[in-house]
Amino acid sequence: MKKLLQEILKEKKTVGIAGHVRPDGDCVGSCVGLYLYLTREYPEIKTDVYLEEVPAQFLVLKGTDQVKNQAVDQVYDLFISLDCGSPDRLGFAEEMFRNAKTTLCVDHHISNLGYARENYVVPDASSTSELICRMIGSEGLDREIAEALYVGIAHDTGVFLYSCTSPETMEVAADLLRTGLDANALIDHTYYSKTYIQQQILGRALLESMFLLDKKCIVSVITKKVMNFYGAKASDLEGIVSQLRNTTGVEVAIFLHELDSGEFKVSLRSNGLVDVSSVAQYFGGGGHVRAAGVTMQGSVHDVINNLLRKIAPQITEEDGEKA
Ligand code: 5GP
Ligand code: MN
Ligand code: MN
């Protein structure tokens, strides 16, 4: 895999890197991890990294202060898309990606159709950060690169808990740990630690959640009005849907939050029975079998009803088989 990177960087003078809109830990970790590696190993290449606003807890990672939030009018020799299942998920960076002389995509979304010139897409991989580790190899690591990639892997695996955590994930994590990083402090700071606002809005979402589909499905909604009341940003809602999924007996958790446009950002989580990626893809989104998302229009009731129409058959099919 190191070959892929060496080959593709040959004779390149400018490289752009970008991740998906509303960046999460894996997106930030893989983007700055690769950025740090390229600037260290290929100082002759001018490398830029682009992301929407980086959530505050990730600012401890080296390289996050170099992230650019706005597109520039430049034709890159190579543009690298990380952790993005489809090009529209690049947001403001999509145009730079489309204009680049050549492109690479490194990703692990099952919904990814391979939209770049070169694609390193492994749906079984825990995270894009794990794939970046495999690309640069253990000898390519230093402590700061390892910190970014460790945070990325930890976030997409629920701290090495979700079923996407493989023996390879743990092997890569061991290489990262060997750089001497302080895993406890990093994960506490970026994953577990929550602001008071985040805790309050999590509580509100849990309090107002409802069971549907014979308690196999749990739904909660946070409107713009509620977000304004708490002074919460979209990034303050991270983790709510996982907490909903932890409810005993639940197969699918649905969490909606209203966007400024009046549309709803939908987060779906499954405990394995239901393929939520297929549900999200049906409505134009994507993701993984157990974690997926989409943006939908209509009233809360319309959105929930439409989602349930696609989820219910997957749950009853299973009931039917058991009967
Ligand atoms: P989350 O619910 O945390 O926003 O996203 C869960 C997973 O689904 C992530 O892997 C994320 O990249 C993917 N995802 C979320 N929203 C969308 C979307 O609108 N389109 C696509 N293609 N993927 C999404
Ligand atoms: Mn992501
Ligand atoms: Mn990811």
Side-chain angles (χ1 to χ4, degrees):
M1 273 310 127
K2 198 166 177 185
K3 262 252 164 77
L4 170 72
L5 204 54
Q6 281 171 351
E7 283 292 315
I8 205 162
L9 288 169
K10 253 189 206 156
E11 285 156 35
K12 304 292 186 292
K13 294 196 174 70
T14 55
V15 173
I17 302 171
H20 61 74
V21 292
R22 293 186 280 272
D24 55 19
D26 183 32
C27 180
V28 175
S30 57
C31 284
V32 298
L34 182 60
Y35 170 78
L36 293 174
Y37 176 77
L38 292 185
T39 48
R40 194 197 69 198
E41 285 294 302
Y42 298 86
E44 69 284 6
I45 298 178
K46 184 181 175 296
T47 304
D48 295 314
V49 58
Y50 295 92
L51 284 171
E52 282 183 354
E53 188 182 350
V54 174
Q57 69 270 29
F58 301 123
L59 296 177
V60 291
L61 298 175
K62 189 181 171 192
T64 47
D65 58 341
Q66 300 298 312
V67 170
K68 297 176 176 7
N69 304 126
Q70 270 185 342
V72 293
D73 196 10
Q74 181 173 345
V75 177
Y76 282 95
D77 291 339
L78 168 67
F79 205 92
I80 305 175
S81 156
L82 297 182
D83 204 36
C84 274
S86 53
D88 56 299
R89 296 268 297 153
L90 284 164
F92 75 86
E94 184 182 357
E95 206 174 323
M96 292 185 288
F97 177 86
R98 292 200 185 278
N99 291 338
K101 290 181 192 153
T102 194
T103 54
L104 167 69
C105 171
V106 183
D107 185 35
H108 66 127
H109 289 95
I110 196 165
S111 52
N112 191 318
L113 299 174
Y115 54 87
R117 177 75 64 86
E118 289 280 343
N119 295 281
Y120 180 34
V121 178
V122 185
D124 286 344
S126 68
S127 53
T128 303
S129 299
E130 179 181 332
L131 295 175
I132 297 295
C133 286
R134 293 196 211 167
M135 283 174 85
I136 68 181
S138 57
E139 65 288 351
L141 297 172
D142 61 28
R143 179 169 168 157
E144 280 143 345
I145 295 172
E147 284 178 348
L149 299 175
Y150 193 88
V151 164
I153 296 173
H155 274 252
D156 261 21
T157 56
V159 192
F160 306 98
L161 173 71
Y162 302 155
S163 58
C164 61
T165 313
S166 69
E168 290 75 27
T169 312
M170 297 311 239
E171 276 158 12
V172 159
D175 289 336
L176 299 174
L177 281 175
R178 283 191 194 97
T179 65
L181 59 78
D182 185 346
N184 186 287
L186 262 181
I187 302 311
D188 241 7
H189 182 81
T190 63
Y191 191 88
Y192 290 111
S193 172
K194 291 202 181 279
T195 63
Y196 186 64
I197 288 175
Q198 290 166 350
Q199 298 284 43
Q200 291 245 298
I201 205 150
L202 167 67
R204 175 87 181 231
L206 297 179
L207 198 66
E208 294 193 351
S209 63
M210 294 174 308
F211 275 140
L212 293 166
L213 299 181
D214 203 18
K215 300 187 181 175
K216 295 273 172 50
C217 184
I218 191 164
V219 184
S220 190
V221 184
I222 293 285
T223 59
K224 273 194 287 190
K225 208 170 147 195
V226 171
M227 287 182 69
N228 290 340
F229 177 79
Y230 291 103
K233 294 189 287 191
S235 56
D236 292 322
L237 307 174
E238 189 81 23
I240 292 179
V241 69
S242 315
Q243 193 58 43
L244 288 168
R245 176 181 49 187
N246 288 340
T247 314
T248 306
V250 156
E251 291 293 348
V252 178
I254 304 176
F255 176 63
L256 311 185
H257 84 263
E258 195 181 359
L259 302 173
D260 287 337
S261 60
E263 295 169 304
F264 286 94
K265 171 72 196 13
V266 180
S267 283
L268 301 168
R269 295 293 184 274
S270 160
N271 275 321
L273 175 64
V274 174
D275 173 2
V276 288
S277 172
S278 72
V279 177
Q281 277 183 68
Y282 180 83
F283 295 107
H288 314 281
V289 172
R290 288 172 179 242
V294 57
T295 299
M296 291 172 73
Q297 290 177 341
S299 68
V300 173
H301 291 99
D302 287 343
V303 169
I304 294 174
N305 277 331
N306 286 331
L307 288 165
L308 291 181
R309 229 170 273 146
K310 298 304 289 180
I311 292 169
Q314 291 199 48
I315 289 178
T316 35
E317 235 170 64
E318 177 70 7
D319 285 349
E321 272 166 29
K322 275 188 207 148

